[in-house]
Structures are given as structure tokens and as C-alpha cells.
Amino acid sequence: MAEVAGTLAAAALGLFVIHVAFGAFILPPGDTGWMLSGRIGPDPVQYWLGWTAFARDSWRWPPGANPGWGMELASSIFYSDSIPLLAFAFKALRPLAEVSQYWGMWIYACGALQAALAWRLMGLATRDSLARLAVAGLFVMQPLLLGRLGGHFALGGQFLLLIGLWLCVTPGEGGRRVFAWGALMAAAAMIQAYLLPMVGALWAADWLARVAEPARRGGWRIAAEALLVPGAGIAGLWAAGFFLLGGGFGGTWGGYGKMQLDLLAPFDPGYWGAILPDIATADHLEAGNSYPGLGALVVLALGALAWMLGPRGGLRRHWALLLILAGLLLLAVTHRVAIGGREFEVLPLPDWLVAKADALRASERFFWPVLYAALFGAAAALVRHLGGRRAGFVLAGALALQVVDLRPGFARLHHYFIVQPPTVPLRLSDPFWLEAARRYDAVRVVPTGMQAPNWEEVAVYAATLRLQTDAVYLARLDPRAVEALNARVAALLERGAHEPRTFYVLGDEAALARARAGMDPERDLLGRFNDRWVLAPGWRVQQAANSSAR
């Protein structure tokens, strides 16, 4: 009973931290204003668009298929980063309850699970409640976590890494062990792509450790596990729709070695810390969230000192985990080592290998399991050296220091997460747009592609008024499909061979010139609405005929 009460207390602490950071207004499932206002950036808009199209569509095979968003560029709910696992659950519940957004609930759940699992993890080192609660607080008050929940919501599922670490440092074998790892791999595959290789690496550490111990090998079972656990991850990817994309897995910008972990990044408070001086580190889109907080840094330093003073037991037993964590750290640093913002190509890699690694271009993220393992190990070393109660006071002091240090980071979150109306008005407010939604079934942006000009306004407009659109922002797009579509639409515009019941939002001068060349002024409308050029074929002669269908 005491263990359950402690777990609940830790979860409550996690919920409190999330409430302070983000507020309660993100929770109501009918409120989408905070996501679509534009304050947080384009990613939450992407998540909502993918989910909205997926929820309205019938079930398909594989379940994650999402042809309703993107027209020729459509793929699956996986590539809109809409957390397929939750999308499946809420789509199944849709006949009973309609949920416009589930990300507020997810953000709160991530905080509660992160803290509760840190409590359980620390329970392997001590039964002292103060020490365990302090560590739970340090794990949830992490820029690594809060920074992701501040926009990249699915990446807040870092509690999966804590489950993996817990499995790595607890004894066990047999069918239950295989099932636990398989379920964790499948869940990671259906939550966020970057979490899957991290969880897979932790499983590999546990599997290697058991292979090396004759008493724990389990004969044929250990060999079967080598197929079943990765197979569970692949099955999760298939269900989420990962394999529906034909190409472009490396992304349309960045690349492996260009968003790496700067070796000084863990000591750079950036916009998070109030105490340590800001230092120069790598300047890329992933930079800024690898600072663990001053309280956590103090725990790491004191834990290292406690380990050196002894006793030093435990590390040899976890050799496989240490080996895998070292590999993850190297993956995060990459072959282009960054120190204080300066890059050094330490190990030139062949272009074909770098192209393959581009799928994991945001390599700085692979620092997460390394930091969490180090923080747990340091806290455990403190407990071993000082005893549970004295270590508890030290860890509680570190948590208080963490709270003081991270004030600028919380203020930054408050700047982006402010109370908004439950729904926000369309940014395309000219009366033309409502009338166009009655006359047409589809709207294209020309040219289209990843975050093409006008994509966000057009996509939200189309989803709200139930039009088809090729205005998309997806985690990955097939560049060949984009190129072919743009070439086809450009040719249609230039010839005036417009698609039935489709109008066009023109994003550059070339598209505008083609529209002028192919239009019939007697039939077609070329105009500027909300500062966007639009070609509406047949506008001057057709009647609004499809309003009743919506």
C-alpha cells in the first residue's frame, strides 16, 4: 500500500509540474485554440490536421493509412506525428465521444508517468520516500522533457525510456520479459519514430546481458526473443503506416551530423537556466534542450564523487547497458564533433552511409537515455554512499536548486502557452473563402511541398470546411511525388486544363504567371484575397452547388 501511495504522490508531483508549466486550459478535448493560434509554431497545427482527417475517414488497412490529408502526397497518421497509438484509441471511441484534440491529456500524462516511473526506478536503490520523490521531481523538471512537450508533443513520451532502463537493471527472463519488451517496442513505434531506436537499444543491452549469462539464456527462448521483440516494433510501424511512404525518409532538410550534440550542450543553460552563464554551442534546430538543469548537474557531480569514494559495485554487472549507452552517445555526437559551436569532422563517413543515417538526422535526441541513466546512477551512488535519508536531503536540495534555476525556461513556456478561445477564427477571413468552399471540393497550393507558401492557412481552412487539399506539413514527404505533382499542376495551369471543382492558391510569381497564361477571363477569377493570389476556375459561370453536402 505504501508503494502505491508513493507512486501516486510522484504522479501528482508530475501533474503539478505540468500544470505550472502549461496550464489547465490545454486539457479540454474540445478546445483547439491553443494549438491552432500559431503561438506554439506549425507542429501542433500539423498534428491536428493529421488527426482530423484520420478521425473523419473510415478504417483502412493498415490502420494508420490516412489518405484524407494531402491528396497525392498523403501517407499515414504516422507521418503527421499525431501519436498513432492515441489516434487509434480515440478513433475507436469516436462513435461514443468526439475528441477534437487529445494532446493536452497526453502532455499531462507524460508528466505523471515520467515522475511515477522515476519513483519506481529509484525504488531499486532506496526505500526512502524523500529521495525517491526528489528524483521523481528532477526527472520531470527536465528541459529534455519540457522542451519537447512545448511543441513536439509525441517526443514527450520519454517515460518509455524509463521503462526500458527499469527493465535493463532488474533481473528477469522468460515469456513475461519478452512480452514486456515487445509491448514497449510496439508502443514506441506507435508513439514517435525517434523513441523506437532508443528503446530498441535498451532492449539490446538487456538481451546481450542475458546472452552472456549462461543461467539466464533460456535456450531457444533467447533466440526467439531476437526475432519477436524487433518484430513487435516492425508490426507497430506497419500498423501506424510507416511503410506507406515510398521515399524521402531522410527528410527534406538537415541531415545526420548537422543536428548533433555539442559536447558543451549539457552545460549550456541557454534560455532555460538562470544561474550558470550562457556559453556558445551548436546552433541548429535541436540545440537548446540538452541542458539538464543545475540541480541535476549537481547530482551528477556528487554522484560521480560518491562513486569514486566507493563502494563502486554495480557497473561491471551492467556492462552491456554501459556499452549501449556509449553507442547512443556516439550516435548523438556523430562523426562531426561539435565543441562550443565549432565542428570537427573526426571520422569521415562515406556518402551512402550518411544518406542512410539521415533518417536519424536529429541525432542530439539520442542523448536522452544517456542522461536519464546517468542521473539515476548518480542518485543511486549518493544513496549507497550517504544512506537513504541523508541522500534524500541532498537530492531534495538539488530539486530546490533545479526549481530556482529553470525559472527562465518556465517563463518561456508561459509566453507560448497562454489562454486562447476554445476555437480560433480562420486566418483566411475574406468572404471569398466561405463562398469558395461552397463551390469547390478541393484547394491546391501551387507549388506544393513541405511547408509550402500558404500551406498552414489553406490546410486549416480546408480541414475546417471539409475540402481536400495538397497543402501539407508531414514528418517525411517523398520528394519524387512532390516533384511529379508540381510538374503536373504547373502544366495544367499553363494549358488552362483545370481540374474539376478545384481552385488554386498561388505561392510564387511562376505559378501566378502560369495561371494568367491559361485562364479564361470570361469564366475564371484571378484575384487577391487576404493577400494571397487565387485562381478560381469557372467562378464567373458556375453556381454554388455543394453547400448542402457539408
Side-chain angles (χ1 to χ4, degrees), residues 190-268:
M190 292 187 287
I191 290 177
Q192 220 287 332
Y194 273 91
L195 295 173
L196 179 60
M198 298 182 204
V199 169
L202 295 174
W203 163 75
D206 183 50
W207 185 83
L208 282 172
R210 284 180 282 127
V211 166
E213 291 186 39
R216 298 179 66 197
R217 284 179 188 165
W220 63 270
R221 291 189 182 90
I222 200 76
E225 182 180 345
L227 297 175
L228 292 174
V229 172
I234 293 171
L237 290 175
W238 171 84
F242 174 84
F243 300 105
L244 291 177
L245 189 67
F249 294 101
T252 54
W253 51 266
Y256 184 70
K258 297 181 180 179
M259 289 186 281
Q260 73 278 61
L261 174 72
D262 192 297
L263 295 183
L264 298 184
F267 310 100
D268 175 26

Side-chain angles (χ1 to χ4, degrees), residues 445-526:
V445 293
V446 187
T448 190
M450 183 72 80
Q451 291 184 289
N454 304 309
W455 83 269
E456 186 173 333
E457 296 81 4
V458 172
V460 173
Y461 157 77
T464 303
L465 298 178
R466 301 196 177 217
L467 297 173
Q468 290 292 307
T469 185
D470 60 0
V472 292
Y473 169 27
L474 293 164
R476 299 291 188 272
L477 274 178
D478 186 343
R480 295 169 301 180
V482 173
E483 184 179 358
L485 178 58
N486 279 329
R488 184 176 71 83
V489 173
L492 291 176
L493 286 179
E494 198 156 7
R495 298 198 316 267
H498 307 122
E499 299 158 285
R501 305 194 66 79
T502 300
F503 71 106
Y504 306 85
V505 179
L506 311 170
D508 60 21
E509 290 297 326
L512 181 59
R514 291 187 179 98
R516 283 186 172 130
M519 70 174 292
D520 178 355
E522 299 292 326
R523 297 174 50 83
D524 307 330
L525 171 67
L526 180 64

Side-chain angles (χ1 to χ4, degrees), residues 139-345:
F139 269 76
V140 77
M141 286 200 65
Q142 270 302 316
L144 279 70
L145 174 68
L146 298 174
R148 294 306 162 191
L149 290 176
H152 298 144
F153 303 146
L155 288 169
Q158 295 169 27
F159 60 87
L160 298 175
L161 305 179
L162 303 191
I163 298 174
L165 285 172
W166 187 86
L167 287 171
C168 282
V169 297
T170 53
E173 58 274 325
R176 293 180 64 181
R177 191 76 161 194
V178 176
F179 178 79
W181 276 116
L184 190 62
M185 288 282 280
M190 292 187 287
I191 290 177
Q192 220 287 332
Y194 273 91
L195 295 173
L196 179 60
M198 298 182 204
V199 169
L202 295 174
W203 163 75
D206 183 50
W207 185 83
L208 282 172
R210 284 180 282 127
V211 166
E213 291 186 39
R216 298 179 66 197
R217 284 179 188 165
W220 63 270
R221 291 189 182 90
I222 200 76
E225 182 180 345
L227 297 175
L228 292 174
V229 172
I234 293 171
L237 290 175
W238 171 84
F242 174 84
F243 300 105
L244 291 177
L245 189 67
F249 294 101
T252 54
W253 51 266
Y256 184 70
K258 297 181 180 179
M259 289 186 281
Q260 73 278 61
L261 174 72
D262 192 297
L263 295 183
L264 298 184
F267 310 100
D268 175 26
Y271 50 74
W272 279 102
I275 299 175
L276 294 180
D278 195 13
I279 59 177
T281 56
D283 182 19
H284 53 69
L285 291 177
E286 284 298 308
N289 293 310
S290 291
Y291 174 64
L294 185 55
L297 285 176
V298 167
V299 171
L300 291 169
L302 293 177
L305 180 62
W307 180 80
M308 287 188 290
L309 294 175
R312 300 185 186 181
L315 287 185
R316 183 176 300 176
R317 179 161 50 94
H318 298 301
W319 64 269
L321 177 59
L322 293 173
L323 180 65
I324 291 297
L325 290 173
L328 288 172
L329 182 58
L330 290 175
L331 185 61
V333 172
T334 79
H335 60 297
R336 299 174 61 179
V337 178
I339 306 175
R342 297 182 62 189
E343 290 187 3
F344 305 88
E345 190 163 2

Side-chain angles (χ1 to χ4, degrees), residues 373-398:
L375 187 56
F376 165 63
L382 276 175
V383 167
R384 191 181 301 115
H385 186 74
L386 299 176
R389 177 50 48 170
R390 285 194 295 173
F393 287 118
V394 172
L395 291 166

